[in-house]
Amino acid sequence: MAAETESYRLDEKDTEILRALQKNSRLTNKELAAKVHLSTTPTYERVKRLERLGIIRQYATILDADRLNKGFAVFCSIKLRRMNTECANEFTDMIKHITEVTECYNISGSFDYLLRIQAPDMKYYQQFLLNVIGRHENIASIESIFVMEEVKHEYSVSV
């Protein structure tokens, strides 16, 4: 069963806080308060409330995949032979433990899952596909789409 998502009403200051933190999550509370024109205590309390509500899920560092020799990006569509709760759970449990898979979506259409995979190069990806993903016995088909140029990649959510 899908997890229920509840939306929350954000006021202008909440929105300003979220925008500022999405640009730089390393801001101190004092710096954040100055950016949103509030004193430090209300700013701190708002951030804690946004965290408690689950609107702020985590703080992260964004790495340069090219500099880490992981700049070969592939979108991989997966079709399972059988699609039921047990098969889906088995597949997603496997995917959650594969570090090369940076995103995984259960999708509608001709395929069941869309994966984003980061690898050093085509040869690595080929071996990865044959020896890791391809070993799952419930996979019926795989289609790979290779990224030639990343034009836009936003980590933020429009607020």
Side-chain angles (χ1 to χ4, degrees), residues 19-75:
R19 286 182 182 145
L21 287 175
Q22 284 189 117
K23 286 182 183 170
N24 183 359
S25 66
R26 294 189 66 179
L27 290 172
T28 65
N29 188 57
K30 185 176 178 180
E31 292 167 332
L32 180 59
K35 281 193 178 295
V36 300
H37 308 290
L38 285 175
S39 62
T40 56
T41 301
T43 301
Y44 177 81
E45 289 171 356
R46 283 174 178 265
V47 170
K48 288 302 170 196
R49 181 178 53 82
L50 293 167
E51 291 172 348
R52 202 172 42 254
L53 292 172
I55 293 169
I56 297 174
R57 290 181 18 200
Q58 76 180 60
Y59 298 90
T61 301
I62 300 167
L63 305 177
D64 186 314
D66 287 325
R67 290 181 184 248
L68 294 169
N69 193 32
K70 301 283 173 86
F72 186 72
V74 182
F75 286 96

Side-chain angles (χ1 to χ4, degrees), residues 140-159:
S141 65
I142 299 172
E143 181 178 301
S144 301
I145 300 170
F146 304 104
V147 175
M148 296 189 306
E149 177 186 14
E150 188 172 279
V151 176
K152 182 179 180 181
H153 188 151
E154 290 290 327
Y155 295 94
S156 60
V157 174
S158 178
V159 288

